[in-house]
Amino acid sequence: MPQGLDLPGFYYDAEKNRYFPIKGPIPGTSRPRIPTTSTQNPLSNSTQPAKFSWTGERTSKLLQVRELNGNVLSLSKRKCKFMEEFQKKLASQPMVLKYQGTGHRADAALQPVRVKLYTTTGQKETDAVLVGSVNGTLSLFGVGKVGFGYGINFLPDLVWPQVKENKAESYKAAEHIGIREGASILMSSSLSSIKLPRKSSSCELDDDFNCRRAVVTTLGSETSGGAIYVLSLDDPFEFSSSSFSIGQRMTQVASFNCTIWTADCDSSASKAVVGTNLGAAMVNLETGSTSWVCRGKSDVFAQQLDDSGKVILCGLRNGAIMTVDVRERPQGSARRLIRHRIPYSPFRRTVKNTNKQWFELSGNICPARTAFMPSSISSLVSLHFYDQYFLASAMDGSVMLYDHRLTKRGPLQSYEGHANSHTRIQLAVDQSERFVMAGGEDCNLCIWSIKSGELLFQEKVSNSVPSTASWRLVERLSRKPDEEQSQNELQFAESLRWEAWFGSRDGLYHMHWP
């Protein structure tokens, strides 16, 4: 190539005796410094929520922009996909229904389930909601226009949006619920958790998964400790029988001389872990045998067992989030739990205004993977599709997204708008893991985008704290995507099936997206 000629888009460097493209950085100049990590974060690019989104725009405006610009939309400093913004737009406009007469029923624990029924036309499956209260009542509500077909039906009231002309339409689409006599029992103390096996509580239910049962725990009282139960959901319910009682399907597996704050179970429902005021214990649900996997002076308020069933996350009263290996040790090895001195983070010591530098904890734990939040841990949720990520909330209102591999660097994402000071409030993540929901002490219900951190919905829908929440069990699309059907179309079809339940002292609530 001739030297020194002016070529469009290039410049000539005499010292290097070659041409360089003008659009790239000029050799020898400094590049902008980009923070690097050992792993990339597929969910978030920043710990700050996006300053602009399309959720405030009309749907027609969003569709118009897509027609003009395609499936990639331009925001102030980033680009986003149309489908993501459209789903966030949908999530920001839920319809919320409250069921009359369900007060003091679902303020301690809540879990949607699938149950089998004997009917006059044969056996069928239907949706139900298993709820527990602070006063110790465990209830199974049938979901449908006539509930279970027997007993008492509860009618819904539209509480959001507060538009009178929408009420008539809301009743047409509303899911009524019902409860049969015998489908509610009084436990020995307050309910503390209701858990389903991870596989059963995800999107997919199939005939090969025959271990369908729920793990129920009670908190304990002044006269007795907490207990762990198994509720069988395998056999069909015969609600028409006059002798029916949900207590007939309850089996007490183990009892403790301490308070049980929380629990979780593995995908086979063969073992469970419980969080207590003395630490964390593993329970064999077949034999009832128990073994302590973590002991300490700080209560375990939140737990999450990973998909492998080998590791649990424990959220402590002192704000620490510990990773505990619960695999059985080889025979002949020492059975005593290893004692650790865990240093508090400087941030934690500053918040608590204490000079204490460390706390003691015994167990097979990894101190290097410890994370700290400013206050006691309220809830933990591991993500299924991004198995290295988990969400955590604290009792000061903090909601954070963490990476197991980068806990020392702090959270990857924060979620603003949550109000809490001392209450144990559940986080709930939808089956597609796009959104997280939680109530607050200000009685607001909030929905955030997990990926962007945007607060999509924040409204007062209850007169008391919405402390329990769960997205409804949704079956996957039965057919597999073919070559002509795009993945976006499948995601759009799934998004139309969003439903969620939450409970407060005022009663049981249902959310759906019309």
Side-chain angles (χ1 to χ4, degrees), residues 56-72:
E57 300 291 340
R58 291 180 176 272
T59 303
S60 57
K61 176 66 175 178
L62 192 59
L63 293 171
Q64 180 184 12
V65 172
R66 186 188 68 163
E67 293 300 319
L68 295 175
N69 300 285
N71 287 322
V72 178

Side-chain angles (χ1 to χ4, degrees), residues 482-494:
D482 53 40
E483 295 180 357
E484 297 181 357
Q485 189 173 27
S486 69
Q487 184 64 29
N488 280 345
E489 290 174 331
L490 284 177
Q491 292 174 350
F492 177 75
E494 289 179 344

Side-chain angles (χ1 to χ4, degrees), residues 55 84-92 435 449 452 454:
T55 55
E84 290 180 0
E85 294 303 312
F86 188 72
Q87 288 171 340
K88 287 191 289 186
K89 173 69 177 177
L90 287 178
S92 68
F435 308 107
S449 165
S452 68
E454 295 170 64

